Amino acid sequence: MTALHLPLALAGAPLLKGVINRTKAFYAGRTGQPVLQPYHDLARLLRKGAVYSKTTTWLFRAGPVVSLASTMAAIALLPLGAVPALVSFRGDIVLFAYFLGLGRFFTICAALDTGSAFEGMGASREAWFSALTEPVLLLGLAAMVKLTGELSLTDLAASLGPQAMLEPGGAAILLVAASLAATALAENSRIPFDDPATHLELTMVHEVMVLDHSGPDFGFIEYASSLKLWALGSLVMGVLLPVKTGSQGFDLLAGGSSLAALAVGVGVVESVMARLRLTRVSHYLAGAAAFSVLALMIVQGNP
Amino acid sequence: MTPLLVCAAVLVLSGALAAVSGRHARLVGALGAVAGALAGIPPAFLALAGRGPEPLTLAWGLPIGAFSVGLDPLSAFFLVPILALTAAAAVYGTGYLGLRGRGSWFFYNMLTASMVLVTAARDGVLFLFAWEAMSLASYFLVTFEDDQESARQAGLTYLIASHLGTAFLLIMFALLDMGWNPPRTHAAAVFLLALAGFGAKAGFIPLHVWLPDAHPAAPSHVSAVMSGVMIKTGIYGLLRVLTLLGAPPAWWGWLLIAVGSTSGVLGVLLALAQHDLKRLLAYHSVENIGIIALGIGTGLVGTASNSPTVALLGFGGALLHVLNHALFKGLLFLAAGSVLHAAGTRDMERLGGLMKRMPWTGAAFLTGAAAICGLPPLNGFVSEFLIFLGGLTAVTQGRAVCGGVVVGSLALIGGLALACFTKAFGVVFLGGPRSERPANAEEAGPAMLLSMAVLAGACLLIGLSGPFVLRWSLGAVAQASGIPARSLESVLQDALAPLMAVSACGAGLLAAIVALAALRAWLLSGREVRQALTWDCGYAAPTSRMQYTASSFAQPIVSLFAPWLRTRERADGPDGYFPSGARFSTETPDLCREGIYEPAFHWLLKGALRMRVLQHGRVQAYVLYIALTLLVLLGWRLK
């Protein structure tokens, strides 16, 4: 029963988007689309042909493939609460962050390959946000490494838990959870960093980078973004609410439900908040970085 | 020692022969470089395996110093990339220079020979001799295109900076009894002098000012050698001095971590703000030297706190990064050289769309760019991962602040490097051409492509075989850290097991990419795949002039870090009811150059001008000076 996280994530990730959409619809007083709609969208995209811009090269076609592969590889390194990851070793935290980086590198290059001003703009903003989220993520995880003394995500998640919060330095867990949540929202282009529902190219960040993709390529991108939401979501929930029942089956179920709860939370945030003005994003991420540093300072004195 | 002396002799002789062989200079020069590498690399590998030759002392006609050379694991570790990269770059150079620059081959092979001697010298005088030869040979290569004012200026700055650095080294060697001997006293002073003297060559901020001028001015294969391996001789010297100084106090590690994070972060920020392709790459060398310093600093903190694991990870990461940076920075400079060769400009704002005209150069640049960003499964990740792991291990072992600084700066450097290289690759190779020349560019010739392919292959190979490379460099790590190899063996598994997993994950990633690409091909087979215009919000005639530019891509980050960059903007906006045109340009000067060196040299000049009152051309007064001097000397002698 080990390493079941990867199949669950691969199967369940699109559901999170469905939950977010339903939550937003509920807030807006609409019925909203079915929860399983993202799966239908993916199936429809995978059945289509494709249109490519004449400006593009093979890199544009490689972008979605590499970003999906690297997101899958990143999930293979992630535990879900007490459910261990497929691969776990000391320092897998760093490889996780850099796998996401690889996907981003190719997404940005694919966007620049179209030669469109809008996609260039989105690419520039994506590079900007992610340059700031990377230290937030790794410093926050460094604080957790100090707290638990463990260097792999699986062992780290296993040593966190409700009792860890009551021990000295437990406040750091909340700070890190907050900064990881900010990272997750920024990396997944959600409000308050980016609005996935916007319809104006000028205001989009992530969505504008993939304007030219179509058919199976776009399906890959959509699926990769669902997986990324699952990945960073399980990182946040692993720090904040690691459920450990002792039985792998229950743990898996509990982990999945905690992610669904997180998706509801994201939906609520998207319903009650507006998007930040673009220049404010840096301040917001600097705040998250300050949380990570503060957490590291709190646990620094721990034996 | 004979093979190594043969290697040096082949390099010197082929250089001299190239100087007189006219039209065949490139053939002689490149053959000499390759033959030198073939002669020198096998003994280096033997030395790394612990079976190095006995040190050798030959007759030496000078009253001071001695011709004594040796090859231990630390020397050998630096020798391998030096010989490999110079050989690859020489092959490239035959295509790049063509029949131009016949005179440059002499200096090229002299540069290689002097670098070989720098790593092998065991005597202070011989070392300084080789060091000076290295500086002079590279000076002549920097000023190779001396019809250009910028190259002459860059050469002058380089010459002054090298000699200021050497001045520190002279004092340092005086404290070391003119050789690689442990100092009797003043270990801290020796360390600081080495940091300043060798740091000037390596390019630590604020000693880096010569680097962004000199590297772009040289021909591209020389830039590759200078950036890839020549500046590493500074790192070699620093590590060599550290082996002499005994147990390091923790503050040395702290100082190097501070220097490393400053150089790393400021280096990548300055790189991001450039739009001259080779200048951008030169600033990235400052960044990568910063990463190496972070690794050495982590290692020193590990040694000082009796943690062999942290020492192994820190020094191991630093040394592997020396090797990796030689490969990917060499590759990037060679690819940038092909761009310059084909499109005639280094200004990124005039390039674009080269992927279609030069697919192989583009693929090479892409490999180098991904490697320098530290992305798996390429080699840059392996070494950065080791330093990250060293920082995180330091965090668990009660060095949370030091580990936090290392992890935080490496992560910030990584994120900014990704922004910088998506910009460089995206603007130069992707989209459409921004001017006439890149639209008609031709792919580089076979010699140039061959050397780029070899370097790109090495980047991938090391990326997938990290554990072997670390084990192979263990002797050098043991020597640099001052921890016996046996103690390192006992903690080696702490580094090898994660590296094994990294390699496995890298291979898994490649398999996933292949599988998904096959899935995509299968999905699209038999379906309609059309070509169309890029979607531009319904605008039907997008041109390549509407693309995002390098400056605009970098603008959000540049303005965020404006206080450290001081980017100057010049904008002539559209004017009037029927605007005829608009211009916008940015320029990011070097903060240290404008803030430190220009004022300092200004004051120096002012002070020097004051001394002019002594020299006014009156012979009587000069006679008086002589008489006074003699009188003073007499009084001193009689005392």
Side-chain angles (χ1 to χ4, degrees):
Chain A
M1 283 293 277
T2 53
L4 282 175
H5 181 202
L6 185 63
L8 181 71
L10 293 181
L15 195 64
L16 294 183
K17 283 207 169 159
V19 173
I20 294 178
N21 285 338
R22 271 308 266 265
T23 313
K24 286 166 79 173
F26 172 77
Y27 255 82
R30 294 182 279 116
T31 319
Q33 43 179 255
V35 180
L36 296 182
Q37 185 63 38
Y39 292 94
H40 294 295
D41 290 345
L42 283 179
R44 183 170 47 85
L45 286 170
L46 292 182
R47 279 198 304 270
K48 288 194 169 210
V51 183
Y52 292 107
S53 156
K54 285 179 195 135
T55 321
T56 58
T57 59
W58 63 268
L59 217 93
F60 180 79
R61 292 147 181 80
V65 169
V66 177
S67 77
L68 178 57
S70 57
T71 318
M72 283 178 171
I75 288 200
L77 299 170
L78 272 183
L80 183 64
V83 185
L86 181 66
V87 186
S88 157
F89 57 93
R90 292 153 48 85
D92 51 7
I93 298 160
V94 182
L95 187 60
F96 170 77
Y98 276 77
F99 269 148
L100 292 186
L102 178 68
R104 193 181 305 130
F105 185 94
F106 272 84
T107 313
I108 292 176
C109 285
L112 289 172
D113 202 13
T114 61
S116 144
F118 296 108
E119 296 192 36
M121 192 183 299
S124 159
R125 290 173 183 169
E126 173 96 355
W128 163 32
F129 292 177
S130 59
L132 299 178
T133 54
E134 199 154 316
V136 178
L137 176 71
L138 282 166
L139 278 175
L141 288 172
M144 292 298 94
V145 162
K146 169 68 191 159
L147 186 72
T148 59
E150 299 291 350
L151 277 164
S152 82
L153 284 167
T154 299
D155 295 341
L156 199 151
S159 358
L160 288 174
Q163 83 289 350
M165 274 198 219
L166 301 174
E167 283 166 12
I173 296 180
L174 290 178
L175 286 173
V176 170
S179 71
L180 287 184
T183 313
L185 291 177
E187 284 276 334
N188 287 298
S189 331
R190 315 295 312 189
I191 286 178
F193 298 95
D194 184 15
D195 188 354
T198 180
H199 293 288
L200 186 62
E201 284 89 340
L202 266 175
T203 61
M204 299 195 270
V205 180
H206 186 78
E207 299 294 316
V208 76
M209 283 202 297
V210 298
L211 272 180
D212 260 272
H213 287 285
S214 57
D217 288 337
F218 192 55
F220 280 15
I221 289 172
E222 286 286 293
Y223 186 49
S225 86
S226 306
L227 284 176
K228 203 167 164 189
L229 183 62
W230 182 288
L232 286 153
S234 58
L235 203 58
V236 176
M237 294 321 270
V239 169
L240 190 64
L241 262 183
V243 188
K244 296 194 192 73
T245 57
S247 144
Q248 291 265 343
F250 277 117
D251 283 347
L252 210 57
L253 200 65
S257 345
S258 73
L259 277 175
L262 183 79
V264 172
V266 172
V268 172
V269 168
E270 302 223 330
S271 307
V272 300
M273 263 184 99
R275 209 179 71 137
L276 285 174
R277 208 174 75 208
L278 206 59
T279 46
R280 292 258 166 199
V281 169
S282 306
H283 305 177
Y284 205 90
L285 289 173
F291 273 25
S292 290
V293 172
L294 197 60
L296 196 60
M297 283 160 75
I298 289 176
V299 294
Q300 198 269 103
N302 273 25
Chain B
M1 281 316 293
T2 322
L4 197 65
L5 291 179
V6 168
C7 158
V10 164
L11 287 167
V12 172
L13 287 179
S14 64
L17 201 58
V20 294
S21 52
R23 227 157 42 81
H24 302 295
R26 58 174 177 164
L27 211 62
V28 175
L31 273 178
V34 173
L38 290 179
I41 288 180
F45 271 102
L46 280 179
L48 275 170
R51 283 179 285 143
E54 289 294 311
L56 182 74
T57 306
L58 292 180
W60 172 258
L62 293 182
I64 50 163
F67 191 94
S68 72
V69 286
L71 188 62
D72 53 11
L74 187 61
S75 302
F77 188 87
F78 282 83
L79 198 59
V80 172
I82 286 174
L83 289 173
L85 184 62
T86 46
V91 173
Y92 176 95
T94 57
Y96 181 76
L97 286 177
L99 293 177
R100 294 184 304 137
R102 290 170 196 168
S104 74
W105 288 102
F106 170 70
F107 295 111
Y108 185 85
N109 282 6
M110 284 300 163
L111 175 63
T112 314
S114 57
M115 285 192 288
V116 170
L117 207 53
V118 160
T119 57
R122 289 293 171 269
D123 177 76
V125 176
L126 183 67
F127 178 87
L128 285 173
F129 183 77
W131 188 259
E132 194 58 28
M134 183 175 82
S135 299
L136 288 178
S138 48
Y139 165 77
F140 285 108
L141 290 166
V142 167
T143 53
F144 167 62
E145 285 167 352
D146 55 4
D147 50 329
Q148 287 175 18
E149 168 71 19
S150 63
R152 292 199 299 271
Q153 276 295 331
L156 190 62
T157 316
Y158 174 48
L159 209 58
I160 294 171
S162 319
H163 286 94
L164 282 179
T166 312
F168 286 106
L169 295 185
L170 266 174
I171 310 175
M172 185 198 80
F173 272 113
L175 288 173
L176 293 177
D177 288 337
M178 289 319 277
W180 294 127
N181 312 306
R184 280 188 288 275
T185 50
H186 305 304
V190 171
F191 171 71
L192 290 176
L193 285 167
L195 191 62
F198 289 122
K201 183 62 82 184
F204 291 142
I205 284 178
L207 307 170
H208 69 287
V209 278
W210 61 273
L211 206 151
D213 290 343
H215 288 193
S220 296
H221 64 295
V222 178
S223 317
V225 169
M226 287 178 71
S227 216
V229 288
M230 195 196 75
I231 60 172
K232 305 298 170 38
T233 56
I235 299 292
Y236 164 77
L238 188 62
L239 287 175
R240 174 67 68 189
V241 168
L242 282 173
T243 61
L244 308 172
L245 299 182
W251 68 266
W252 294 3
W254 278 99
L255 185 62
L256 271 172
I257 289 176
V259 166
S261 60
T262 316
S263 302
V265 175
L266 269 182
V268 67
L269 279 175
L270 283 163
L272 189 64
Q274 308 301 323
H275 25 69
D276 174 332
L277 185 57
K278 284 177 74 177
R279 204 173 159 81
L280 177 147
L281 292 177
Y283 271 118
H284 266 284
S285 298
V286 176
E287 174 227 310
N288 279 283
I289 285 290
I291 294 178
I292 294 169
L294 278 174
I296 300 176
T298 312
L300 284 176
V301 167
T303 320
S305 56
N306 285 324
S307 166
T309 312
V310 176
L312 168 70
L313 292 169
F315 280 110
L319 280 173
L320 253 58
H321 207 70
V322 165
L323 172 67
N324 292 339
H325 180 246
L327 295 173
F328 57 64
K329 184 51 71 66
L331 175 61
L332 283 167
F333 263 117
L334 296 188
S338 305
V339 170
L340 176 62
H341 194 258
T345 178
R346 310 193 303 238
D347 186 357
M348 289 160 67
E349 311 290 27
R350 297 188 177 281
L351 294 165
L354 285 174
M355 198 71 179
K356 284 197 208 67
R357 309 284 315 178
M358 314 170 72
W360 295 108
T361 302
F365 196 93
L366 177 68
T367 313
I372 201 171
C373 292
L375 297 176
L378 295 166
N379 61 350
F381 181 74
V382 174
S383 39
E384 285 190 32
F385 174 77
L386 284 177
I387 303 175
F388 260 120
L389 198 56
L392 287 172
T393 312
V395 166
T396 60
Q397 295 182 348
R399 303 266 163 191
V401 181
C402 141
V405 172
V406 171
V407 171
S409 12
L410 270 180
L412 186 61
I413 292 169
L416 291 171
L418 193 133
C420 190
F421 272 95
T422 45
K423 165 185 130 164
F425 178 68
V427 170
V428 174
F429 287 97
L430 303 178
R434 290 177 176 77
S435 64
E436 194 87 353
R437 288 288 296 275
N440 304 313
E442 295 283 336
E443 179 61 286
M448 295 158 83
L449 287 179
L450 175 72
S451 12
M452 287 193 278
V454 168
L455 292 176
C459 284
L460 183 64
L461 188 69
I462 293 184
L464 290 175
S465 57
F468 300 102
V469 184
L470 183 67
R471 186 172 265 292
W472 170 78
S473 52
L474 197 65
V477 177
Q479 217 184 339
S481 62
I483 297 176
R486 188 160 308 179
S487 321
L488 286 183
E489 288 277 0
S490 64
V491 292
L492 191 60
Q493 213 47 37
D494 287 350
L496 282 189
L499 278 185
M500 275 302 213
V502 165
S503 302
C505 287
L509 174 81
L510 289 180
I513 290 175
V514 171
L516 284 173
L519 174 68
R520 175 182 167 279
W522 177 70
L523 284 172
L524 282 178
S525 63
R527 294 194 196 152
E528 189 192 17
V529 175
R530 281 187 298 127
Q531 298 267 318
L533 276 179
T534 293
W535 170 252
D536 243 358
C537 289
Y539 185 64
T543 71
S544 50
R545 285 190 60 205
M546 290 162 57
Q547 291 175 97
Y548 234 47
T549 60
S551 310
S552 40
F553 187 88
Q555 189 271 336
I557 301 179
V558 169
S559 68
L560 184 64
F561 291 94
W564 292 281
L565 291 175
R566 311 265 174 93
T567 299
R568 296 193 195 107
E569 291 184 358
R570 275 199 52 208
D572 303 321
D575 208 15
Y577 294 112
F578 299 101
S580 55
R583 300 180 64 82
F584 178 81
S585 64
T586 62
E587 184 204 358
T588 306
D590 196 289
L591 188 63
C592 296
R593 190 189 185 103
E594 297 213 328
I596 303 175
Y597 293 102
E598 279 178 8
F601 277 91
H602 177 73
W603 287 111
L604 194 68
L605 189 66
K606 260 192 146 170
L609 287 180
R610 290 263 165 80
M611 306 295 277
R612 248 195 341 205
V613 289
L614 292 175
Q615 198 171 33
H616 33 56
R618 260 179 254 131
V619 180
Q620 298 95 318
Y622 290 172
V623 173
L624 182 67
Y625 297 157
I626 294 171
L628 280 178
T629 312
L630 284 175
L631 216 61
V632 170
L633 285 175
L634 191 67
W636 179 64
R637 190 75 190 86
L638 288 179
K639 184 180 58 135

